[in-house]
Amino acid sequence: MNIILKNFNFILFVSILLISNSIYSQSGSIKGTITDEQTSEPLPFSNVFLVSTGFGGSAKVDGSYSINNIPTGKYIIRVTYVGYKKIEQEIDISSNRVVEINFKLFPESLQGEEVVVTSQAIGQQHAINEQLNSISVKNVVSSARIQELPDANAAESVSRLPGISLIRTGGEGSQVVVRGLSPQYNRITIDGVELPGNIGSGSSDRATDLSMISSNMLGSIEVVKAITPDMDASVIGGTVNFGMRKAEKKATDPVYELVTQGTYNGLRESYNDYKLVGSVEQRFFDEKFGVLIQVNVEDKNLGANELDVNYILEDKSKGDEGLPLLNSMTLADVVRTRQRYGGDITLDYEHSSGEIGLMNFLSINDTKSSSRSESFPSDNGYITYNINNAPYKLTTFSNLLSAKQKVAMFDAEIKLSHSYSERDAPGSLNFSFLQPGGVNPSDVPNLRKLTPKELSSYVKHDATDGYLQSITYSNSITEDRTFSGGLDLKTDIAFSNYITGTLKFGGSYQYRKRSYNYEYWFGSMFDDGQTVVLAMADELNIKTVPLGTGGPLLTLAYDDFVDLDYEYGSFLDGDYELGSPANIDLVLEAGDIAIANAGTNPAQVGFKYQVASSKSSDYSGTEIKDAAYTMFILNIGSDITLIPGFRYQNLTTDYNGIRGLALIAGQLQYTKSSEKISHGYFLPMLNLKYRPLTWLQFHFAYTNTLNYPAYSIITPKYLIGESSISYNNYRLKPAQSENLDLALSIYNNEIGLFTVSGFNKNIKDLIFNTGARFPTSEKISEEFPEFPTEFLAGREFYTYINNTNMINVYGIEIDWQTHFWYLPQPFSGIVLNVNYTHIFSDAKYPRTERISLGYDPYTGTEKYEFIDTFYTARLLNQPNDIFNISAGYDYEGFSSRFSVSYKDNVFKEAAFWLQERVHSDKYLRFDLSLKQKLPWYGIQLFFNLNNITSEDDVDLNQKTAFPASRQRYGMTGDFGIRIKM
């Protein structure tokens, strides 16, 4: 296929060369800049074209434009920009000459009234014009809008766009869901550099944690929902690209900016959160060379009160009519602080025939997380107290060298990038204590039919009855290093005055090296773990107590670990009550003693290194992704743009893993294995833009995209345990999605931009966990020939498969962005952004049914038949409805924004039985942002209120609507000062 593509590109190149030679000798060019008449600020993405021809396009980010290969003659050039008055001017094109014309547009206004356009309104107009003139289907957030709302990080800023919902951690957005597709189906980039998957230990999928990116560092955000062939096709939902800031054009002297912010946390009633952001920028050599240096430091409390409830359907005879029983519930007080350090250095140089840029980005998230939780297993009435400490540090840095150069008839762009991500979890420690008699089932009729709040009211806490039952300790590190390179070539073509175009072709190469190392210790005090118990008791100077109801084994009492100075406050708004809180520092000290004494006694089995759990999780390997593409941007007059093209993309994975037997607890017999496999796909695409009227535009896109399997599930691993088998399926194919997009946009200076978009995705080979299966030896030999089938008997088989059932996702997005400049003062300062999304999906999840065939009279055992089938539900993390509104008012130096976010019915947990599925309750959030400029030293004061009503994240059981999960993180308030001079 690569040979075919290379030959095809060569044929195209020769054909274009022959056509163009006859044109270039009889043509000229136009170039210039488009700026605001009053402020001289550039107007990026202005629409500039020659009337009644196919010559034209949109201006760059800096407001510059160029139109090449124009046949000699006289033309009318028209420049338009939503929010500004259009300009038309006659020009004369001479052979082999470049005409330079600069345009200054005047903001649209009421006759006789002075025009005052605020930076917020200008930012909105930039985003509108970029979206309208893009050849891909995308939504845009400008730098001005990023700053106008009280967003904690980049994820929060993205969530303001249509079709986007968030996954939160402690009230702060960490991952984005695009059009109902989970984070692993989306692609995250910074200036086009892909960020690696870094979610959780081992990063079981390719999702990216966005909380590491401060919104203050960004120059723009764009979410591409329908790609073009020159973009990486590893995306089913959307590509989120964060554009870093560059030195401003007018910064011929150093420009300094400092942002200081303090935060009030309503959950903890604390005032010690802070943020500091500083930057300096300047342009040299007649503004050709720009330097921007930015650093940020942040300390934030992300604590939460949490409820988690598990339901189970025991009586399955009534189908969907049956009621689930409360299986267990957990209450947790999470103390989580995050220190975020970061910065970027961006250099750019513009010369007569091109430009060069160098971007360097660094982010370090140092998170300290500990929790005190208690669980109520309702079958025996015990309370389990878990004290957990799980710190981790996430480090990411990216470097991008890009160059644009005019080479003969081609505009060439080359990009070389490097990205590194490390998630280091240096030690997760958990102490588990057991208290008998917390709930007496015989005293409470129908205990498991109670609501979580009712069950909690029957709990009796008594720290003196609690005792240590187990200790776990683990550490892990995930590393990902990626090198990428890409070359794009394009050239303009004129078939006639009416039909023009641009041929673009190129390719990319990416090399990734990834590894994961995990270590795990476990100890049960019910085993002979006396060495550890006695060591902790001796060094902490606390007493030992008999384990459980007595006997020769000793343990430690929970009462000796209680912290009398810690208070939970009004836990979950006073709806639940927790028992005595543990002393985290004392638990950590005890953990150090336990780790120091682990394995010192050869006969000890109470707390030791677990070989099977540790070794079987490790993996390392490489991936090579290469691609080639060809596309043609064909302008038919000034109203039709047709973009046909195709992309060939291949991924070769070469991973190492462990295949082993863990038939005896704590022991592992294994061999190392390595598998190399490739998947290449030919992906045709078509985009069409049609502007039948000056205020109406249609944008249609047909695309084919991919989603690659999670790193950890394609390692060549299997682990055979005493009762189950886990098998990684390295043969998994990428999921493929055939996508249709249609957007209708109505726009003018009064309306702003009103867009209605529809999308449809047909996804095949999406990857699912099969759950427990009982396959035959013949079927396993056929699907996984290297697996030793003699170990199948009596064991459940867990693996991942490509779903053979097609999945359909479709929806509608409505977006309106406007500025009411045409109203009389003071109403002319009103700015409005509204969007609504409704999404549908239909997914068939794999499931194995076990059907009883009755008892065998000869063996006296029950016989079963196992049938592989499926059940139908929505895609995980897909919301039904998303609604965002931001209404603001700008007047001179004052700016205000009141925003509302609504999200309803997100599918959170899949299960065969309706009674065990979970979806979210409605989520309605209000935020307020106020800003006021002062007349000294470029000072601006700002005040933010986030989550004003302290809305909780709540999930519900799909059958009973009883709470399945609840997270409370409260309201926060920010007060800060921004100085720019």
Side-chain angles (χ1 to χ4, degrees):
M1 179 60 74
N2 283 324
I3 295 175
I4 295 174
L5 287 174
K6 290 176 182 177
N7 290 335
F8 182 71
N9 285 338
F10 178 75
I11 293 170
L12 276 175
F13 171 79
V14 172
S15 300
I16 299 304
L17 183 66
L18 294 175
I19 295 173
S20 301
N21 277 338
S22 62
I23 297 173
Y24 287 163
S25 60
Q26 308 169 39
S27 63
S29 302
I30 312 171
K31 72 174 185 177
T33 58
I34 304 170
T35 57
D36 184 295
E37 169 71 31
Q38 295 177 316
T39 66
S40 296
E41 294 292 330
L43 297 179
F45 311 106
S46 300
N47 188 259
V48 51
F49 59 93
L50 305 185
V51 177
S52 300
T53 76
F55 293 100
S58 61
K60 299 179 182 178
V61 175
D62 61 0
S64 65
Y65 75 94
S66 63
I67 307 174
N68 302 314
N69 306 328
I70 308 170
T72 58
K74 292 185 178 182
Y75 300 90
I76 300 294
I77 186 170
R78 177 182 294 165
V79 181
T80 61
Y81 193 82
V82 175
Y84 285 72
K85 297 178 179 179
K86 72 177 180 182
I87 287 181
E88 290 187 352
Q89 180 177 327
E90 185 177 282
I91 58 171
D92 192 355
I93 300 299
S94 301
S95 178
N96 298 320
R97 290 190 58 188
V98 178
V99 179
E100 183 168 350
I101 306 178
N102 299 320
F103 294 97
K104 294 183 179 294
L105 304 188
F106 200 85
E108 191 69 82
S109 65
L110 294 177
Q111 188 172 358
E113 290 196 7
E114 181 183 2
V115 180
V116 179
V117 185
T118 64
S119 60
Q120 289 82 3
I122 291 174
Q124 184 190 55
Q125 290 165 344
H126 289 354
I128 288 173
N129 285 277
E130 180 178 358
Q131 186 171 321
L132 277 173
N133 291 306
S134 171
I135 61 172
S136 60
V137 177
K138 68 180 181 181
N139 299 109
V140 182
V141 183
S142 68
S143 59
R145 191 180 176 196
I146 293 171
Q147 301 301 324
E148 75 186 29
L149 292 169
D151 295 329
N153 57 41
E156 299 275 350
S157 299
V158 176
S159 70
R160 308 287 181 177
L161 292 170
I164 310 296
S165 58
L166 283 180
I167 295 176
R168 299 180 184 274
T169 302
E172 182 179 81
S174 57
Q175 302 175 69
V176 293
V177 177
V178 182
R179 289 180 161 179
L181 289 149
S182 294
Q184 66 265 30
Y185 303 124
N186 306 308
R187 186 168 176 264
I188 309 299
T189 61
I190 293 182
D191 276 349
V193 179
E194 182 179 11
L195 293 180
N198 53 22
I199 301 296
S201 296
S203 294
S204 60
D205 59 43
R206 297 173 184 261
T208 302
D209 185 347
L210 299 183
S211 64
M212 64 183 176
I213 305 174
S214 172
S215 57
N216 297 85
M217 304 173 69
L218 303 177
S220 65
I221 301 173
E222 60 179 14
V223 179
V224 179
K225 296 176 177 176
I227 66 170
T228 47
D230 56 340
M231 301 178 184
D232 194 303
S234 313
V235 55
I236 292 181
T239 296
V240 181
N241 182 61
F242 299 104
M244 306 303 288
R245 290 176 53 196
K246 291 169 52 175
E248 295 180 356
K249 273 293 186 181
K250 293 184 178 181
T252 52
D253 294 320
V255 176
Y256 302 94
E257 185 172 12
L258 176 66
V259 178
T260 64
Q261 175 182 303
T263 300
Y264 166 75
N265 185 290
L267 183 67
R268 303 298 179 188
E269 297 185 353
S270 63
Y271 295 86
N272 53 355
D273 293 1
Y274 66 86
K275 178 195 287 187
L276 295 173
V277 182
S279 67
V280 58
E281 57 188 297
Q282 187 174 1
R283 300 201 73 86
F284 305 88
F285 311 123
D286 294 329
E287 301 187 14
K288 293 181 179 179
F289 178 58
V291 179
L292 185 143
I293 302 174
Q294 185 172 213
V295 295
N296 69 83
V297 180
E298 184 176 358
D299 193 309
K300 190 165 188 178
N301 188 319
L302 295 174
N305 296 162
E306 298 181 355
L307 163 72
D308 187 68
V309 188
N310 174 257
Y311 298 90
I312 188 169
L313 180 65
E314 291 187 346
D315 180 9
K316 301 176 174 61
S317 62
K318 298 178 182 178
D320 288 348
E321 298 303 316
L323 293 177
L325 300 179
L326 192 154
N327 193 43
S328 66
M329 64 177 284
T330 300
L331 299 171
D333 179 68
V334 182
V335 178
R336 185 188 296 111
T337 59
R338 174 170 294 159
Q339 292 179 320
R340 180 189 290 137
Y341 312 91
D344 69 282
I345 301 175
T346 303
L347 311 176
D348 68 280
Y349 178 71
E350 300 176 2
H351 54 89
S352 58
S353 59
E355 59 185 82
I356 301 173
L358 177 63
M359 182 276 293
N360 304 275
F361 165 81
L362 170 67
S363 176
I364 301 174
N365 275 4
D366 193 354
T367 302
K368 303 291 189 297
S369 178
S370 60
S371 65
R372 301 169 173 90
S373 67
E374 55 187 60
S375 302
F376 317 122
S378 52
D379 54 348
N380 57 23
Y382 286 13
I383 301 177
T384 301
Y385 300 96
N386 282 295
I387 300 91
N388 182 265
N389 185 69
Y392 70 90
K393 180 183 286 187
L394 177 60
T395 303
T396 301
F397 60 84
S398 298
N399 317 100
L400 170 65
L401 174 64
S402 60
K404 296 180 180 179
Q405 179 66 48
K406 186 74 174 178
V407 181
M409 69 181 66
F410 289 100
D411 292 317
E413 180 175 9
I414 186 170
K415 289 185 176 182
L416 301 173
S417 66
H418 163 255
S419 185
Y420 176 78
S421 177
E422 176 185 287
R423 187 182 183 97
D424 184 11
S428 178
L429 176 69
N430 187 87
F431 271 49
S432 181
F433 293 84
L434 204 62
Q435 179 203 319
V439 181
N440 189 346
S442 63
D443 293 341
V444 186
N446 299 319
L447 177 67
R448 299 179 67 192
K449 295 182 179 180
L450 299 177
T451 66
K453 192 172 181 180
E454 289 170 339
L455 173 61
S456 180
S457 67
Y458 288 104
V459 174
K460 298 176 182 178
H461 299 98
D462 189 347
T464 60
D465 283 345
Y467 55 85
L468 179 65
Q469 69 164 343
S470 65
I471 306 171
T472 62
Y473 177 78
S474 66
N475 55 55
S476 66
I477 185 168
T478 309
E479 294 182 280
D480 188 304
R481 189 179 298 277
T482 305
F483 297 93
S484 301
L487 174 65
D488 300 297
L489 296 170
K490 65 178 182 180
T491 185
D492 295 326
I493 308 164
F495 297 102
S496 68
N497 280 9
Y498 192 70
I499 302 178
T500 67
T502 300
L503 172 68
K504 186 176 182 182
F505 58 96
S508 62
Y509 178 88
Q510 182 186 83
Y511 173 83
R512 166 175 274 118
K513 184 177 182 180
R514 189 175 177 87
S515 64
Y516 174 63
N517 184 68
Y518 178 71
E519 295 182 302
Y520 178 69
W521 289 258
F522 173 77
S524 170
M525 300 304 105
F526 291 98
D527 296 324
D528 185 14
Q530 301 308 286
T531 303
V532 169
V533 170
L534 295 174
M536 290 189 293
D538 180 59
E539 295 191 40
L540 298 175
N541 195 25
I542 57 178
K543 63 182 181 297
T544 60
V545 297
L547 182 64
T549 58
L553 299 180
L554 299 175
T555 187
L556 304 179
Y558 180 57
D559 192 41
D560 287 327
F561 286 85
V562 171
D563 187 348
L564 299 176
D565 296 326
Y566 187 84
E567 295 182 359
Y568 290 117
S570 182
F571 185 82
L572 284 175
D573 204 24
D575 291 339
Y576 297 86
E577 183 178 345
L578 293 178
S580 301
N583 187 319
I584 296 289
D585 293 334
L586 185 59
V587 169
L588 291 175
E589 188 177 352
D592 290 339
I593 298 168
I595 294 163
N597 286 272
T600 56
N601 182 350
Q604 175 187 325
V605 293
F607 182 68
K608 68 176 185 179
Y609 182 72
Q610 303 294 310
V611 178
S613 298
S614 301
K615 292 291 185 183
S616 64
S617 300
D618 295 350
Y619 69 84
S620 64
T622 61
E623 293 186 355
I624 294 176
K625 181 166 60 176
D626 54 273
Y629 75 90
T630 297
M631 58 185 287
F632 197 81
I633 306 171
L634 186 67
N635 297 314
I636 304 173
S638 57
D639 298 330
I640 298 176
T641 302
L642 183 66
I643 310 168
F646 64 85
R647 183 179 186 88
Y648 178 79
Q649 187 160 304
N650 179 77
L651 181 71
T652 300
T653 58
D654 188 359
Y655 279 107
N656 305 301
I658 297 294
R659 291 171 174 164
L661 302 173
L663 304 180
I664 301 176
Q667 297 185 24
L668 177 68
Q669 301 176 25
Y670 68 90
T671 58
K672 295 183 178 180
S673 59
S674 177
E675 297 287 354
K676 184 176 182 179
I677 195 164
S678 295
H679 294 287
Y681 292 89
F682 179 81
L683 307 168
M685 304 184 197
L686 176 68
N687 275 258
L688 171 65
K689 290 176 66 175
Y690 176 47
R691 307 176 189 86
L693 302 168
T694 58
W695 50 267
L696 180 64
Q697 175 176 288
F698 295 93
H699 194 157
F700 168 79
Y702 167 78
T703 58
N704 285 274
T705 54
L706 307 169
N707 176 253
Y708 295 115
Y711 303 109
S712 61
I713 67 174
I714 54 174
T715 58
K717 159 201 162 181
Y718 60 70
L719 184 65
I720 303 172
E722 296 180 57
S723 60
S724 65
I725 299 165
S726 63
Y727 180 94
N728 277 9
N729 188 356
Y730 67 89
R731 296 178 181 83
L732 287 171
K733 297 182 293 184
Q736 302 175 64
S737 181
E738 185 180 52
N739 316 294
L740 295 174
D741 287 81
L742 179 62
L744 181 151
S745 298
I746 299 172
Y747 55 95
N748 63 24
N749 292 340
E750 290 77 20
I751 294 174
L753 175 62
F754 179 82
T755 302
V756 179
S757 304
F759 64 90
N760 183 83
K761 299 176 181 292
N762 289 314
I763 308 171
K764 66 178 181 179
D765 291 330
L766 200 64
I767 298 159
F768 284 134
N769 188 328
T770 61
R773 299 172 68 198
F774 300 87
T776 63
S777 296
E778 293 78 9
K779 189 168 186 179
I780 288 296
S781 296
E782 179 183 349
E783 293 185 21
F784 315 116
E786 75 281 359
F787 185 81
T789 56
E790 64 268 23
F791 292 100
L792 277 177
R795 291 182 174 88
E796 295 179 344
F797 192 90
Y798 295 85
T799 189
Y800 297 86
I801 63 170
N802 288 111
N803 197 331
T804 57
N805 300 294
M806 185 75 73
I807 294 171
N808 184 233
V809 184
Y810 58 102
I812 186 171
E813 299 169 346
I814 302 173
D815 185 29
W816 185 31
Q817 305 175 52
T818 191
H819 171 214
F820 294 94
W821 59 267
Y822 49 85
L823 297 179
Q825 293 184 359
F827 305 107
S828 58
I830 298 174
V831 178
L832 183 66
N833 291 269
V834 183
N835 61 69
Y836 169 75
T837 305
H838 188 76
I839 305 171
F840 309 83
S841 68
D842 183 14
K844 293 180 173 63
Y845 291 83
R847 178 183 183 270
T848 298
E849 289 190 33
R850 187 174 69 171
I851 300 173
S852 175
L853 300 179
Y855 283 91
D856 186 333
Y858 298 101
T859 63
T861 59
E862 189 172 8
K863 298 184 68 176
Y864 298 96
E865 179 184 6
F866 300 98
I867 301 175
D868 290 335
T869 180
F870 62 86
Y871 64 95
T872 303
R874 286 182 288 158
L875 285 175
L876 283 175
N877 295 315
Q878 183 230 298
N880 279 346
D881 298 284
I882 307 170
F883 176 75
N884 292 297
I885 181 170
S886 170
Y889 181 75
D890 301 327
Y891 181 72
E892 295 183 350
F894 174 76
S895 175
S896 66
R897 291 293 183 276
F898 180 74
S899 59
V900 180
S901 297
Y902 174 83
K903 181 175 61 177
D904 189 21
N905 207 327
V906 179
F907 191 41
K908 290 295 191 68
E909 187 172 334
F912 177 77
W913 298 102
L914 172 71
Q915 294 87 340
E916 296 176 6
R917 297 177 199 163
V918 174
H919 65 83
S920 73
D921 197 3
K922 62 181 182 296
Y923 179 83
L924 181 62
R925 172 173 170 146
F926 302 93
D927 301 313
L928 175 67
S929 177
L930 302 175
K931 295 179 173 64
Q932 177 63 59
K933 291 183 179 178
L934 301 181
W936 314 288
Y937 307 107
I939 296 176
Q940 182 188 58
L941 305 180
F942 62 88
F943 173 73
N944 302 324
L945 285 177
N946 314 292
N947 194 19
I948 295 173
T949 58
S950 297
E951 184 80 359
D952 295 349
D953 279 326
V954 178
D955 296 337
L956 304 174
N957 179 271
Q958 198 157 328
K959 176 63 178 179
T960 63
F962 289 173
S965 170
R966 179 179 171 189
Q967 293 187 2
R968 184 171 184 81
Y969 36 81
M971 182 269 291
T972 61
D974 308 321
F975 178 77
I977 301 174
R978 176 179 283 107
I979 303 173
K980 186 173 183 178
M981 56 185 181

